[in-house]
């Protein structure tokens, strides 16, 4: 069973490594990850196995003026994919958003990201918009939303 907890600055190196392992483009830079860990309106959740091996992370963004939270990122180490970690991180992100009074969760996913799209659609997310030319390589984003 993975342990899920909020990230600390001590997780920074492992989070940067995960970002490189999980994403081929549009990676968050180290300073952006550090900012997210420190931010009062962002939640970075990490999944650990075997005590201290970081194998997944999710980043949630909130705004004081909105009841709509945004899942800015979710990533699982490639050699740990398909084991349900993505689903557990998504559950935890939703629970965190609910705990802050948010009523909806939105996210963007690459139109060619089969694993991501499957994860979200299985969990009741519906596509409400398409953003052309959204990612660095020109790929479009599919925007999904779920009522919490
Ligand atoms: C998307 C991601 C977080 C899913 O994590 P995961 O731990 O593999 O997720 P789960 O094990 O909970 O599986 C989610 C679903 O995707 C399916 N899946 C996993 N890998 C897949 C793949 N390569 N292609 C298609 N479906 C896949 C699983 O079978 C599962 O579907 P099911 O519930 O119907 O069986 C992970 O693949 C990842 O980190 N990808 C790279 C980063 C990324 O794309 N993040 C999302 C950006 S929005």
């Amino acid at each position: 069973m993975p342990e899920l907890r909020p990230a600390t600055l001590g997780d920074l190196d492992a989070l940067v490594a995960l970002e490189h392992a999980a994403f081929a483009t549009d990676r968050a830079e180290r300073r952006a990850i550090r900012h997210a860990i420190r931010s009062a309106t962002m939640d970075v959740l990490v999944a650990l196995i075997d005590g201290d091996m970081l194998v997944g992370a999710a980043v949630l963004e909130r705004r004081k003026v909105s009841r709509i939270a945004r899942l800015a990122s979710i990533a699982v180490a490639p050699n740990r994919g398909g084991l349900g970690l993505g689903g557990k991180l998504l559950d935890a992100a939703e629970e965190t958003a609910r705990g802050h009074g948010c009523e909806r969760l939105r996210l963007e996913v690459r139109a060619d990201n089969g694993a991501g799209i499957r994860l979200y659609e299985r969990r009741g997310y519906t596509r409400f918009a398409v953003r052309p030319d959204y990612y660095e390589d020109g790929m479009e984003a599919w925007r999904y939303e779920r009522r919490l």
Side-chain angles (χ1 to χ4, degrees), residues 70-134:
R70 172 172 177 260
L71 185 72
S73 176
I74 185 164
V76 169
N79 62 349
R80 308 283 169 174
L83 301 174
L85 283 168
K88 289 205 167 60
L89 280 162
L90 190 53
D91 286 345
E94 290 173 353
E95 200 50 50
T96 302
R98 251 184 238 113
H100 285 284
C102 296
E103 292 168 354
R104 288 165 195 270
L105 186 56
R106 287 185 171 175
L107 59 90
E108 298 88 39
V109 59
R110 287 176 63 97
D112 64 354
N113 186 343
I117 289 167
R118 186 167 172 87
L119 175 67
Y120 305 131
E121 292 191 348
R122 287 263 292 184
R123 283 163 182 270
Y125 286 77
T126 52
R127 195 172 87 187
F128 70 97
V130 173
R131 284 202 171 158
D133 198 19
Y134 184 82

Side-chain angles (χ1 to χ4, degrees), residues 2-3 11 17 27 33-34 46 50 53 57 63 76 78 84 90 94-95 98 103 111 115 120 132-133 135 141:
E3 178 204 345
D11 297 316
R27 290 179 180 131
I33 300 172
R34 187 192 295 118
V46 293
D50 298 337
M53 194 191 303
R63 285 178 298 160
V76 169
L90 190 53
E94 290 173 353
E95 200 50 50
R98 251 184 238 113
E103 292 168 354
Y120 305 131
D133 198 19
Y135 293 98

